[in-house]
Amino acid sequence: GNKQLVFLIFLAMEIENAQIGVTALERECLISPLQAARMVWTSASSSALSITPAAKDRQVRMSSPTNWRKPFDWLSDDQWHSLQFLGVSMPWFVEPLERMSRDGREQAWRQLCESDAPHNRMPDGLDKRLSFFQQLVVVRAVRSERFLPAAWAFVRRVIGSQHTAELIQPDLDLASQVCGSRNAILLVYDTEAANPQVMVHRLAVQHQTVVHSTPLVYLVGHEHQTVLHLVTTAMSEGHWVFL
């Protein structure tokens, strides 16, 4: 579960720290780059988290409205501000940020920001130039909603998959045989909300059947009638329903 993942992240982080070093500021950026930025700019007296004079010079050079303009319209403000902070505070991200809008790199960065597995889509050769932890920091800066799968990938890369077995996947095929067509199968998750739906759709492909999916909010009024109609129709056609 999540407690196991937190422990493994800290363990992998300490392994990387012993091998190549992990700074206090990099750790803060893993929690929140924007929060780390506010802390640094308002706490200049903190020696542990202070940025270098060179980084301060870069901050001054980037402070004009022209330089702070987003290179791509599809980048959100939070994504761009997080990347900017990495560029002015992390020596290893200075060049990637400066090269970001050059030589047709937009597509590679867009894939990072839109892929379901951003940890496998590092642009500009960053997967070969950055440590595993630094790559995780970049993913955290632009894809906070995909942090959990990226964190699992980081742990497996540092510790090894043989020591980081994830939660045992339920045997939906067996569950469907036991429950039959007249009983619901309850799927409870504590990591990725999309996992149960993905698992059900994969099983449906194996069984060569159709899955009808719909979200539930209050299950009253119009929503109740919609779901009832969906279930009734699926039963008559031999299809599955994912609620």
Side-chain angles (χ1 to χ4, degrees), residues 187 193-194 196-198 200-201 211-215 230 240-243:
L187 300 177
Q197 186 169 2
V198 171
V200 169
H201 278 267
V211 179
H212 302 279
S213 302
T214 186
L230 180 63
W240 295 357
V241 177
F242 182 88
L243 304 177

Side-chain angles (χ1 to χ4, degrees), residues 82-94:
S82 296
L83 291 174
Q84 283 184 314
F85 178 66
L86 294 185
V88 301
S89 60
M90 306 295 175
W92 47 264
F93 200 69
V94 175

Side-chain angles (χ1 to χ4, degrees), residues 70-81:
K70 290 188 296 186
F72 314 124
D73 292 337
W74 45 264
L75 270 178
S76 71
D77 290 341
D78 283 350
Q79 287 175 323
W80 177 231
H81 293 160

Side-chain angles (χ1 to χ4, degrees), residues 65 87 185:
I185 301 175

